[in-house]
Amino acid sequence: MVKHKEQRLTGITMAAIGVIMPLLLNGDITFSIFALSSGITLLFTEEIF
């Protein structure tokens, strides 16, 4: 149960980083593609990684 909450929190953090980084990097979305896809996967999957 704790691992599942930790995984969701990590997913939210990664998704937030993916949204903020293009603003800080003058529109470069290279890292955001990785961060958003990883964050969404961690957020919505039921399997514990």
Side-chain angles (χ1 to χ4, degrees), residues 12-44:
I12 291 169
T13 304
M14 288 294 289
I17 289 171
V19 170
I20 293 171
M21 287 308 285
L23 301 173
L24 298 175
L25 297 176
N26 297 325
D28 185 18
I29 63 167
T30 305
F31 180 74
S32 291
I33 292 171
F34 171 74
L36 277 173
S37 62
S38 297
I40 290 171
T41 301
L42 287 171
L43 188 60
F44 290 113

Side-chain angles (χ1 to χ4, degrees), residues 1-9 42-43 45-48:
M1 182 78 163
V2 173
K3 288 284 188 182
H4 189 66
K5 288 184 180 185
E6 182 181 334
Q7 179 175 325
R8 288 197 182 237
L9 181 61
L42 287 171
L43 188 60
T45 190
E46 295 295 324
E47 182 179 340
I48 303 296

